[in-house]
Amino acid sequence: MQAKHLLDRIGILTDEVSPDLIEALDWIAANELSHVELRSVQGMNILNFNRAEMTNMRQEIESRGLFISALASPVFKCPLNPVRTTMQGDQFGQLEHHHVTGHFQLLNRALDAAELLRTRYIRIFSFWREEYPESYADEIAGHLHTAAEIAHSRGAVLLLENEPSCNGGSAEETGRLAALTKHPALKLLWDPGNEAFLGRPAYPEGYNSLKPGIAHVHLKDAVYHPDTGGQCVPIGWGTVDYAQQLAALMNDGYSGLFTIETHYRPVNGSAMDGSLLSWKALRQLLPQ
């Protein structure tokens, strides 16, 4: 594995450092990360900001030698049918849209924002998790295909993330949905930590379930207890074999980027403290 080459491709979600964008960017630049993803600022989802505010954010980012690798949107974090009871998860300041039609409007806002922020990549989901997700696979794939067609017409790429609270919860489920969708503008965002959060082996089993379609990687770690479920921990503290996973990605010719997303805050500590633990651990994992 080429350590320097990989290190040059690691970034972080700004709100995993601080809700204050300037504080986050100064820390990110000082720690020599190369790029950022935008999800929320001061507790408000990125898609709720206006064009002037987003332009100012982009200028602050670029002035520090950073770039925006992806827009971490909440698109399709909604129920397929609001009448049915579904699982729900983090929304990161999203203004709630209860209907699929509202999220297609949100997709168009995300596409406008991506153009303004100079990124092609928009993270999306597979709708809040149904009791029997496999029963709705064709319906989900239909919506994803429509969304991919819209994105393709705008020169964008959608990144479908494996997310425990959604129908593509595991790597296997997410890979299956992407295969059903069959669209070049729909790629996969692989989060090994989300797989570990479910108590499933992230590497090699999870990775192999969606390896061909991976275009972006989120980096977090987790442990799973049968009685209490999943818990996010700093990289190196959980069950993801990151040394093997990173080596496999590089050996398999993965050419995309990596984004730290720890979801971990130490007791009496800050998100910044949690992210620093993972960033230090990542550097130790790579050969000198």
Side-chain angles (χ1 to χ4, degrees):
M1 188 181 352
Q2 298 176 354
K4 187 176 187 302
H5 182 48
L6 195 155
L7 279 172
D8 288 343
R9 293 154 62 186
I10 297 177
I12 195 166
L13 282 142
T14 62
D15 57 8
E16 293 284 342
V17 177
S18 171
D20 182 275
L21 184 66
I22 300 304
E23 182 179 50
L25 293 177
D26 287 344
W27 184 93
I28 291 163
N31 280 277
E32 300 181 308
L33 291 152
S34 67
H35 62 89
V36 301
E37 283 184 44
L38 292 176
R39 180 173 57 196
S40 66
V41 174
Q42 298 290 12
M44 187 162 76
N45 192 273
I46 186 64
L47 296 185
N48 296 333
F49 289 91
N50 63 37
R51 291 182 61 85
E53 290 167 327
M54 282 193 264
T55 298
N56 182 64
M57 290 179 197
R58 189 196 74 218
Q59 291 170 344
E60 291 286 356
I61 290 164
E62 292 177 348
S63 72
R64 290 164 174 80
L66 303 165
F67 66 96
I68 300 162
S69 54
L71 187 64
S73 88
V75 169
F76 298 149
K77 269 194 170 181
C78 68
L80 280 169
N81 185 333
V83 173
R84 291 194 298 268
T85 300
T86 58
M87 185 184 293
Q88 293 195 16
D90 293 331
Q91 297 184 44
F92 296 99
Q94 172 192 344
L95 294 177
E96 184 60 65
H97 296 268
H98 294 287
H99 295 276
V100 174
T101 52
H103 273 256
F104 273 101
Q105 294 169 5
L106 201 63
L107 173 62
N108 283 314
R109 285 170 57 188
L111 288 163
D112 290 341
E115 287 181 1
L116 192 64
L117 296 168
R118 297 176 180 166
T119 181
R120 294 179 61 221
Y121 294 100
I122 299 171
R123 186 268 308 274
I124 66 167
F125 296 96
S126 51
F127 305 94
W128 293 134
R129 192 169 182 84
E130 302 277 352
E131 185 175 2
Y132 302 106
E134 63 279 3
S135 300
Y136 303 96
D138 288 339
E139 181 182 356
I140 294 166
H143 289 311
L144 294 177
H145 193 277
T146 300
E149 279 284 286
I150 295 168
H152 185 66
S153 72
R154 301 277 298 271
V157 175
L158 303 181
L159 302 169
L160 181 65
E161 182 173 358
N162 57 300
E163 161 58 49
S165 62
C166 293
N167 292 297
S170 68
E172 183 180 7
E173 290 171 333
T174 308
R176 191 180 307 128
L177 287 172
L180 277 173
T181 303
K182 291 181 182 176
H183 196 289
L186 182 78
K187 300 295 184 181
L188 294 170
L189 193 166
W190 172 222
D191 190 322
N194 281 352
E195 192 80 349
F197 190 87
L198 291 171
R200 300 171 65 98
Y203 179 85
E205 289 89 340
Y207 172 61
N208 287 336
S209 295
L210 39 66
K211 177 169 59 176
I214 297 173
H216 200 71
V217 176
H218 276 179
L219 302 172
K220 72 161 66 76
D221 212 341
V223 294
Y224 177 84
H225 300 287
D227 294 335
T228 57
Q231 178 184 359
C232 292
V233 296
I235 289 170
W237 295 21
T239 59
V240 179
D241 187 343
Y242 265 108
Q244 293 296 319
Q245 173 65 99
L246 293 173
L249 281 159
M250 301 301 282
N251 291 335
D252 291 336
Y254 174 68
S255 60
L257 298 171
F258 302 83
T259 299
I260 298 169
E261 185 200 21
T262 61
H263 284 355
Y264 174 77
R265 183 187 293 261
V267 176
N268 299 322
S270 66
M272 186 184 292
D273 296 329
S275 289
L276 184 59
L277 286 170
S278 283
W279 179 219
K280 286 181 175 179
L282 273 172
R283 296 182 76 108
Q284 290 298 315
L285 282 171
L286 303 177
Q288 301 303 310

